[in-house]
Amino acid sequence: MTPEQPRATSNPGAGAPTLPEGALVQSLLKEGRTFPPASAFRERSWVGDRTPYEDAERDYAAFWARHAEAELSWFRAWDKALEWHLPWAKWFVGGQINVSYNCVDRHAASWRRTKAAIVWEGEPGDDRVLTYQDLHREVQRFANVLKELGVQKGDRVTLYLGMVPELAIAMLACARIGAPHSVVFGGFSSDALRDRILDQEAKVVVTQDGAWRRGTLVPLKRFADQAVEQCPSVEKVVVLRRAGDALHCEMAPGRDHWWHDLMERASAVCPAEPLDSEHPLYILYTSGTTGKPKGVLHTTGGYLIGVHLSTKWVFDLKDEDYFWCTADIGWVTGHSYIVYGPLSNGGTSVMYEGAPDWPDKDRFWAIVEKYGISVIYTSPTLLRSCMKWGTQYPARRDLSSLRLLGTVGEPINPEAWMWYHENIGHGRCPIVDTWWQTETGMILITPLPGATTTKPGSATEPFPGVGAEVVDEQGRPVPANTGGYLVLTRPWPAMLRTFWGDPERYVETYWTRFPGRYFTGDGARCDEDGYFWITGRVDDVVNVAGHRLSNIEIESALVAHPAVAEAAAIGRSDAMKGQAISAFVVLKIGNEPSEQLREDLRDWVADKISPIARPDDVFFSADLPKTRSAKIMRRLLRDVAEGRVLGDTTTLTDPAVVEEIKQRYVAEGKEED
Ligand code: PRX
């Protein structure tokens, strides 16, 4: 396959996503409130009018190039801003740059050297502040540690840590020497970690003894040991001490080293390596429509200007801000908006280790009060939990330092948007609902708070320079207020470049369904003002509490259980988490359905993948509805789980199966959380 010609799909109907239906779309259609920027906010913001949009429309590559030149420090200027051989992009070709230098050195060499770079709060209540000077020293030392362990430019390093400053330090150290990092969320199981290490053939794994979560220690090192045993590429394991005496930790002689021992010996001088603008910065695994998570590859110069400029403009980031993105660094949101975006801007990034309801349900608001957070970026699921817990929790804290609020990860229902506006922002703070993906690297559809009139529930409009539209099955743009598929029409600098080790799949996943355009996997509609209303995934991806999982991944875990013959997993709508997981299971002969087995299967999936993948309900069935080509009809199962009338069953081998499933599902009832 030549890079310039994405393959046309042989059967466009096969595996074609179905448009979403249901309550969310309806409630979005009724929303009519608008919130224009207050003039006081507009006057002080980086972007207070339409100029950047107009500017970018004239020539989007030149727009990005202008900002990349003005905002970032380059070792060598590029020859060409964009080389675009669809679907392969190269940004700032010939340019040399280092992300770590841009996020640390240039600020440590300025008046910002004593400014707080990372303000960290541990779950037990301990805290730490790292100035840019501190960060500079620690990052250089850890870069030397990595070198001493044999890590060279191009080698992969897996980071399996909780939310501790050392995670950011390790990422920046990898970036400094050109070793692509791959952060694996600390909530993932050892199997999930093993699969990711194997895929990227990592040389070094960095982990910690235990991570605090809701008052208990999660034994990350123990999980890492189970994974590393099966990964021949791993030569060294670095272990950060966080739990201390509270958790015993086995150290394999020769392979395992304590972080603090290595750091003590390391020199604090390690100049940043000039790297090609397209040098790989990191791999981050995300769930797609198959059982195997895919390694999304982000590179250097383009990614950095994308996250830099979006942080500056979307969050209107100023030097005096305390910016808190509440995501975990194990997800892309943390990569782009805890680490790289804020630090590249010389900002103060706040990082919290633990759970939002620990020790009490006001923890987030206590953190806002304690540090005087001015900009907070969180998820709709968190907001809906807070709504359920009640307004007394935010009400007992001083939130007057807040000036801007953000959300990400899933559609926000207008009710949660209004709750955020009233109970957290006290009617004073603009809300930015930001749409993007692991693959996009940066926020792509979003208000700019000083320039955009917001509407509750809408992510509003594409960021300057970004092209997006809503199309029908044939790829034709649909009229205003008509549902369709969200596609992106132009390359953008922070876009993924490929999947690690699987370029064919990159082409197939994003560039085949609608030739010439990037298919997001999301459904959307655009209103008469050109505002985008995202309605959720339209492919075999479930979004539970803002976390992406693939149906097939969950099904693969289920069928690996000795009692299971066949399984189907679907996302059904859930008022709190956006989507919840229902699993339909066919047992092998000789196994009987039971409450115990149901629980075992739920735990099994949590263990195989992560607690976030634990099915909310498991339903035992004699058979599964399938098409004549043996494809499981998940759409029908979703209809059953959501209690809707059955969809079209004309392609079913045995329509009676669905009817039977429906009746038993209703009879057995669904489990509550
Ligand atoms: O379905 C969209 C949803 O989250 C998906 C991307 O998930 P992930 O790669 O894990 O990245 C999440 C954080 C960037 C999208 O395809 N999504 C993300 N933000 C929004 C959203 N849906 C609606 N509104 C949003 N603001």
Side-chain angles (χ1 to χ4, degrees):
M1 187 189 329
T2 58
E4 292 77 9
Q5 293 167 328
R7 217 173 43 200
T9 165
S10 52
N11 174 7
T18 50
L19 283 176
E21 337 168 37
L24 182 62
V25 184
Q26 294 312 318
S27 72
L28 292 181
L29 283 171
K30 283 190 233 116
E31 184 52 51
R33 287 167 285 203
T34 56
F35 293 83
S39 56
F41 192 101
R42 180 194 293 266
E43 280 156 21
R44 293 203 61 239
S45 61
W46 286 116
V47 179
D49 60 27
R50 308 293 305 170
T51 311
Y53 293 96
E54 291 156 9
D55 194 21
E57 277 324 287
R58 278 190 286 277
D59 182 344
Y60 68 88
F63 162 83
W64 287 112
R66 229 178 356 265
H67 290 287
E69 194 181 344
E71 300 278 335
L72 304 181
S73 306
W74 294 81
F75 293 124
R76 184 188 184 279
W78 58 86
D79 305 313
K80 201 169 173 204
L82 170 64
E83 228 175 70
W84 178 226
H85 298 296
L86 199 146
W88 310 102
K90 285 186 179 167
W91 284 87
F92 312 116
V93 184
Q96 288 190 336
I97 187 166
N98 186 293
V99 166
S100 183
Y101 180 91
N102 276 272
C103 290
V104 185
D105 301 42
R106 60 179 180 154
H107 307 307
S110 77
W111 67 267
R112 292 194 184 99
R113 69 185 180 281
T114 52
K115 177 178 171 174
I118 295 176
V119 171
W120 175 81
E121 164 107 347
E123 195 187 71
D126 43 344
D127 51 30
R128 273 166 73 189
V129 175
L130 280 108
T131 64
Y132 274 97
Q133 202 167 34
D134 297 334
L135 194 60
H136 192 216
R137 187 186 57 242
E138 297 300 296
V139 167
Q140 293 191 82
R141 285 168 75 195
F142 198 65
N144 280 328
V145 164
L146 291 172
K147 282 184 176 173
E148 194 197 315
L149 296 177
V151 177
Q152 292 174 358
K153 182 172 159 183
D155 287 342
R156 276 80 58 208
V157 177
T158 304
L159 308 176
Y160 184 58
L161 290 143
M163 283 289 285
V164 286
E166 285 78 4
L167 176 50
I169 291 167
M171 291 163 79
L172 292 160
C174 287
R176 196 165 190 86
I177 61 172
H181 60 69
S182 181
V183 181
V184 177
F185 171 53
F188 274 130
S189 67
S190 53
D191 282 5
L193 174 63
R194 175 202 58 208
D195 293 348
R196 286 156 176 78
I197 298 175
L198 286 175
D199 188 70
Q200 71 203 237
E201 296 171 294
K203 198 170 194 175
V204 168
V205 173
V206 185
T207 187
Q208 69 188 68
D209 50 0
W212 286 108
R213 189 75 191 173
R214 278 205 180 81
T216 58
L217 283 163
V218 183
L220 292 184
K221 169 66 163 65
R222 205 175 302 155
F223 298 152
D225 282 342
Q226 289 162 12
V228 168
E229 267 165 30
Q230 303 169 62
C231 300
S233 65
V234 177
E235 294 171 12
K236 302 285 179 194
V237 176
V238 181
V239 188
L240 177 77
R241 177 170 275 161
R242 168 70 179 136
D245 295 339
L247 191 72
H248 175 69
C249 188
E250 290 292 335
M251 299 290 280
R255 188 196 70 181
D256 299 354
H257 301 272
W258 287 106
W259 171 290
H260 56 267
D261 286 343
L262 296 171
M263 286 293 263
E264 212 176 87
R265 297 199 295 268
S267 142
V269 181
C270 178
E273 175 108 4
L275 297 170
D276 188 274
S277 174
E278 281 298 331
H279 188 78
L281 175 65
Y282 67 82
I283 303 164
L284 184 58
Y285 289 83
T286 188
S287 296
T289 54
T290 71
K292 189 173 172 280
K294 43 200 195 181
V296 166
L297 181 74
H298 284 294
T299 61
T300 300
Y303 174 78
L304 191 62
I305 190 56
V307 298
H308 177 103
L309 201 63
S310 53
T311 303
K312 181 170 174 173
W313 286 1
V314 174
F315 301 113
D316 191 42
L317 194 72
K318 308 278 176 36
D319 260 316
E320 56 274 28
D321 277 317
Y322 261 51
F323 176 73
W324 183 26
C325 166
T326 71
D328 192 290
I329 294 180
W331 310 105
V332 73
T333 309
H335 282 63
S336 298
Y337 298 109
I338 295 178
V339 182
Y340 293 121
L343 297 180
S344 176
N345 279 281
T348 296
S349 185
V350 177
M351 198 174 158
Y352 169 54
E353 182 181 38
D357 54 353
W358 189 267
D360 203 354
K361 296 184 176 65
D362 67 347
R363 185 64 185 269
F364 270 26
W365 319 122
I367 291 173
V368 169
E369 180 181 78
K370 175 172 171 183
Y371 298 103
I373 305 288
S374 50
V375 183
I376 186 170
Y377 188 34
T378 192
S379 71
T381 288
L382 182 277
L383 296 172
R384 287 192 293 264
S385 296
C386 292
M387 284 170 76
K388 187 176 82 177
W389 295 337
T391 52
Q392 68 274 25
Y393 294 103
R396 69 189 188 204
R397 297 292 176 176
D398 178 4
L399 306 182
S400 60
S401 57
L402 287 170
R403 64 179 197 91
L404 177 61
L405 316 175
T407 75
V408 61
E410 35 174 335
I412 181 164
N413 45 315
E415 197 194 351
W417 197 103
M418 289 306 299
W419 187 92
Y420 201 17
H421 176 70
E422 284 161 13
N423 295 288
I424 307 302
H426 298 159
R428 295 178 286 110
C429 306
I431 295 181
V432 286
D433 170 5
T434 64
W435 176 90
W436 59 296
Q437 309 177 305
T438 306
E439 295 89 334
T440 71
M442 63 177 283
I443 294 167
L444 289 191
I445 302 181
T446 179
L448 296 185
T452 312
T453 293
T454 54
K455 302 183 187 183
S458 171
T460 75
E461 55 187 335
F463 191 86
V466 172
E469 60 186 20
V470 181
V471 300
D472 65 13
E473 297 279 342
Q474 277 72 44
R476 294 173 304 222
V478 298
N481 288 317
T482 310
Y485 304 105
L486 179 65
V487 297
L488 302 170
T489 57
R490 294 173 189 160
W492 63 100
M495 67 191 275
L496 81 164
R497 298 303 194 260
T498 187
F499 289 146
W500 182 256
D502 200 351
E504 294 252 322
R505 200 167 149 211
Y506 161 74
V507 179
E508 214 170 282
T509 308
Y510 305 107
W511 302 96
T512 308
R513 178 86 176 83
F514 301 107
R517 282 156 298 172
Y518 170 97
F519 177 42
T520 62
D522 277 340
R525 76 179 171 88
C526 213
D527 71 14
E528 55 288 347
D529 298 324
Y531 277 39
F532 288 78
W533 301 75
I534 315 291
T535 47
R537 300 294 303 196
V538 292
D539 52 8
D540 288 335
V541 170
V542 194
N543 189 337
V544 179
H547 299 135
R548 251 166 89 167
L549 297 159
S550 97
N551 305 63
I552 298 169
E553 213 176 336
I554 302 164
E555 290 161 6
S556 306
L558 283 165
V559 295
H561 188 280
V564 176
E566 272 192 288
I570 53 110
R572 60 170 167 84
S573 23
D574 180 90
M576 193 61 64
K577 299 190 286 188
Q579 285 192 298
I581 300 166
S582 290
F584 295 79
V585 168
V586 179
L587 293 175
K588 282 186 186 154
I589 295 176
N591 294 280
E592 289 303 317
S594 69
E595 246 348 280
Q596 183 58 48
L597 183 54
R598 196 191 300 269
E599 275 316 300
D600 288 352
L601 289 174
R602 295 179 69 214
D603 290 346
W604 173 268
V605 177
D607 209 48
K608 286 269 160 209
I609 307 174
S610 160
I612 53 178
R614 184 192 301 275
D616 295 83
D617 30 61
V618 172
F619 173 76
F620 295 109
S621 167
D623 207 347
L624 294 174
K626 298 211 188 86
T627 62
R628 285 181 221 286
S629 58
K631 195 170 155 12
I632 296 171
M633 298 186 79
R634 295 200 188 80
R635 183 170 50 85
L636 289 183
L637 293 173
R638 201 159 52 228
D639 288 345
V640 171
E642 292 177 356
R644 269 195 304 278
V645 224
L646 290 185
D648 177 21
T649 57
T650 47
T651 50
L652 262 182
T653 36
D654 181 5
V657 169
V658 181
E659 199 44 49
E660 195 225 296
I661 288 177
K662 186 186 165 200
Q663 278 167 14
R664 288 194 42 199
Y665 190 84
V666 172
E668 286 188 15
K670 286 179 283 179
E671 289 178 30
E672 292 301 317
D673 274 336

